Amino acid sequence: MGTVLIVGAGPAGLYASRKIATAGYQVLILNRDIKPGGLAEYGIYPEKHHMKHGLRKQFSKILDLPNVAYLGNLPVREKGILTIDQLRQLAPSAIVFSVGAQGTKKLGMQGEEAKGVYSAKDYVYYYNQLPPFASQDFSTGRRVAIVGMGNVMVDIARWLLNDMPGPKPEEVTVVARRGPFEVKFDEKEFDHIEMCLDRPTFREELARVAERIRACGQDADKVAEKLFPWVNRSAGASGGPKLSFRFLTSPVAIVPDANGRIAKLRVVENLLVLDGQATKAKATNQTVDLDFDTLIFAIGDVVDPTLGLPYEKGGYLTRPGAPDTEAGAYEVFDPKTGNALEGQYVVGWARKASEGLVGKARYDAEHGCDHILKYLEGAPRKTTLSLQEILREVARPAAHLATKEDIILLGRAEEARAQEANRPAFKFSTNEEMLAAIEQQRASFRDISASAA
Ligand SMILES: Cc1cc2nc3c(=O)[nH]c(=O)nc-3n(C[C@H](O)[C@H](O)[C@H](O)COP(=O)(O)OP(=O)(O)OC[C@H]3O[C@@H](n4cnc5c(N)ncnc54)[C@H](O)[C@@H]3O)c2cc1C
Ligand SMILES: NC(=O)c1ccc[n+]([C@@H]2O[C@H](COP(=O)([O-])OP(=O)(O)OC[C@H]3O[C@@H](n4cnc5c(N)ncnc54)[C@H](OP(=O)(O)O)[C@@H]3O)[C@@H](O)[C@H]2O)c1
């Protein structure tokens, strides 16, 4: 029935694979990382063992399907060992791009390249042990600013305040362009860090912005009742790192010290103004320098512009104006011809960067696949290479690819290490260690089978 290539094995790519494989097509997944799972493996908070375990179980069932093949450690890039053009030349029945949002949103500020300034995605990859981030310098100091107030901010603050090994920061400050009524995180997530919220400082901050938020009909006295119930509860024993907020504040420049590390964050004070039913920040001309030695941007991501798909304003192009109910919203669109690129689709965070939970990525992928399967039913027959031929072509230039059998061996090796250390989970943090562990497992199975024969 033809082969469909799925580029990216996060939740979107894996659920798309299941849907397409279940309809009878051969599926070949090509994934940048050795391990499948994407942000479910390398983004979701490390302590969420139950959730991660449940997702891994579902993903391994998908990889177990007889008509699903997997090659990990194989990034597709515009200028790399495997390009989209090469994939097109294999004449697959369709290509589904489920590569997530791997680009960094930059604010274009002076000093953004200073040491100690990180994007949340990279930082989260670091503490979730994704190579090569796991081995890079993500040192944090005593005073950390996190820009943005979504769930990613909460995860990072939780790591810094509760779980990071080594010395923790003394202060973590959330820098938010709008006010307390515009927080985007979930209360149950904030529960993990509320004990660190510096109550008196938070009340002072509410008083500082009270007048400005009143302009939008918001009452600072209602913040505790409506959004921050923790403020009126005791914080328990004090003495640990402190969490505070600075509302109505936008970064405008980073001032480095003599070593090139961030020393100050220059911010502008914002007003809060109405924008239809919503609110938006409006910069004043009042700036102030705040002392920070670390800055993490948790403001959402964009897609990777170097993949090689038509790209504009942080996203891959799909048919302009197409609603999500129509195929056009998933078809890759070429602005040069004004047509969709036949048989090429985007799903999940590759389609809508940084939007929603795993369940949403799954829904998006499965819904997109309804359109893809319709296309496949009516598509002209192609002389697609066989899976074996495709595997030979794709694997030829690249070394050390991981197959789905290798992923099972890696899983066993990591499980054994977790048991040895009496920990709920263990991860190798370099590709070399993962590949060596796979080899070791393979060798020990060879030995067992030889001695049994
Ligand atoms: C810090 C953080 C914490 C989160 N916590 C939760 C949570 O607790 N609960 C929840 O439900 N949701 C959570 N989410 C949201 C969830 O992770 C996403 O909804 C989901 O992972 C998006 O799936 P995706 O497959 O579209 O992208 P991703 O998960 O990003 O997967 C993309 C895949 O594509 C691969 N890839 C990338 N580039 C290439 C390339 N060029 N070639 C080949 N392969 C490539 C990557 O290796 C990866 O496997 C969190 C997100 C973040 C950022
Ligand atoms: N535990 C979990 O369940 C979990 C964990 C992590 C992530 N997730 C999910 O993953 C998705 C992404 O999360 P996220 O936290 O990255 O995104 P998010 O929820 O959209 O929050 C982004 C934050 O960054 C701010 N921001 C955006 N652009 C900015 C700019 N240019 N300057 C200053 N501030 C800016 C936003 O402010 P404005 O509101 O003013 O735009 C907002 O406060 C969400 O759906 C989230 O729920 C879930």
Side-chain angles (χ1 to χ4, degrees):
M1 278 178 84
T3 298
V4 175
L5 301 180
I6 308 270
V7 184
L14 289 162
Y15 290 120
S17 298
R18 181 168 71 185
K19 186 126 188 190
I20 291 173
T22 308
Y25 295 88
Q26 175 66 53
V27 168
L28 170 58
I29 306 172
L30 310 171
N31 194 39
R32 177 195 64 191
D33 310 329
I34 288 185
K35 276 201 209 179
L39 285 166
E41 184 66 36
Y42 292 113
I44 291 182
Y45 200 71
E47 296 299 308
K48 290 188 176 174
H49 296 294
H50 184 69
M51 180 189 282
K52 287 197 174 214
H53 183 71
L55 286 168
R56 279 189 202 119
K57 249 169 96 176
Q58 289 188 44
F59 297 160
S60 57
K61 273 193 185 157
I62 294 172
L63 290 184
D64 218 24
L65 293 170
N67 51 340
V68 171
Y70 176 83
L71 290 177
N73 207 14
L74 185 56
V76 174
R77 295 237 162 79
E78 193 175 17
K79 294 191 178 91
I81 51 167
L82 187 61
T83 64
I84 294 181
D85 274 344
Q86 283 170 289
L87 295 186
R88 289 176 184 134
Q89 279 159 25
L90 304 170
S93 303
I95 312 179
V96 182
F97 294 94
S98 43
V99 290
Q102 309 298 335
T104 301
K105 207 193 252 182
K106 293 269 183 192
L107 297 188
M109 295 188 295
Q110 194 187 336
E112 223 164 338
E113 306 307 325
K115 287 183 202 151
V117 178
Y118 312 122
S119 93
K121 174 171 52 59
D122 297 354
Y123 191 70
V124 161
Y125 279 163
Y126 156 74
Y127 69 63
N128 269 294
Q129 292 183 273
L130 173 67
F133 301 91
S135 316
Q136 292 171 351
D137 175 17
F138 282 92
S139 56
T140 47
R142 287 169 41 238
R143 295 174 58 89
V144 181
I146 310 176
V147 181
M149 47 178 184
N151 282 323
V152 171
M153 173 282 286
V154 176
D155 274 8
I156 290 172
R158 181 176 171 188
W159 177 254
L160 294 165
L161 297 164
N162 297 347
D163 294 316
M164 75 181 271
K168 295 186 176 30
E170 287 164 18
E171 293 175 31
V172 173
T173 306
V174 178
V175 175
R177 64 179 169 187
R178 295 193 287 157
F181 284 93
E182 284 86 15
V183 296
K184 283 204 176 155
F185 53 75
D186 295 326
E187 190 175 323
K188 74 173 180 19
E189 297 299 332
F190 199 81
D191 275 345
H192 295 289
I193 52 172
E194 62 83 13
M195 69 296 281
C196 298
L197 183 70
D198 184 338
R199 273 69 168 159
T201 309
F202 187 78
R203 284 191 205 99
E204 278 168 30
E205 179 59 10
L206 289 182
R208 195 182 72 87
V209 296
E211 179 98 15
R212 281 185 268 166
I213 65 172
R214 198 170 301 129
C216 288
Q218 297 177 352
D219 182 352
D221 292 338
K222 296 268 162 59
V223 169
E225 176 197 322
K226 290 197 184 298
L227 292 155
F228 279 82
W230 313 274
V231 178
N232 293 332
R233 285 185 217 144
S234 153
S238 58
K242 296 253 183 271
L243 173 70
S244 62
F245 280 74
R246 201 174 197 288
F247 296 115
L248 293 176
T249 299
S250 288
V252 288
I254 290 161
V255 185
D257 65 13
N259 299 317
R261 189 176 179 102
I262 172 174
K264 289 184 189 301
L265 178 65
R266 185 158 303 146
V267 298
V268 65
E269 298 286 352
N270 295 329
L271 300 175
L272 194 67
V273 295
L274 284 173
D275 184 20
Q277 301 281 17
T279 61
K280 69 175 183 189
K282 184 170 178 225
T284 65
N285 54 13
Q286 192 188 339
T287 61
V288 51
D289 284 359
L290 306 172
D291 291 333
F292 292 114
D293 50 37
T294 311
L295 173 64
I296 302 173
F297 285 107
I299 57 175
D301 297 305
V302 293
V303 301
D304 174 7
T306 70
L307 180 69
L309 289 181
Y311 169 97
E312 197 179 272
K313 293 186 189 149
Y316 300 128
L317 287 181
T318 51
R319 192 174 283 283
D324 282 1
T325 47
E326 286 179 12
Y330 301 84
E331 291 167 349
V332 179
F333 182 78
D334 183 357
K336 287 192 209 119
T337 61
N339 286 313
L341 292 172
E342 198 190 331
Q344 294 171 50
Y345 295 87
V346 279
V347 294
W349 278 24
R351 190 172 87 85
K352 289 194 175 172
S354 293
E355 251 197 53
L357 305 179
V358 166
K360 186 159 184 190
R362 174 182 171 169
Y363 177 84
D364 197 71
E366 292 181 344
H367 191 65
C369 284
D370 289 337
H371 296 294
I372 297 168
L373 289 172
K374 244 183 237 153
Y375 161 78
L376 287 169
E377 272 168 32
R381 285 234 161 264
K382 284 186 183 172
T383 35
T384 310
L385 300 184
S386 72
L387 178 67
Q388 287 317 317
E389 287 166 325
I390 292 183
L391 284 174
R392 264 201 303 278
E393 284 294 316
V394 166
R396 201 168 39 191
H400 306 306
L401 301 184
T403 63
K404 63 182 186 180
E405 290 74 24
D406 294 337
I407 298 305
I408 296 171
L409 296 177
L410 178 59
R412 284 188 193 145
E414 292 193 330
E415 216 173 284
R417 292 288 283 266
Q419 273 175 13
E420 265 165 43
N422 200 18
R423 280 164 37 188
F426 172 87
K427 269 185 194 174
F428 294 105
S429 55
T430 66
N431 282 350
E432 293 70 26
E433 284 172 297
M434 281 190 247
L435 294 166
I438 292 168
E439 260 325 298
Q440 212 170 27
Q441 285 282 321
R442 213 190 322 271
S444 63
F445 278 104
R446 267 199 304 266
D447 292 346
I448 293 169
S449 346
S451 61

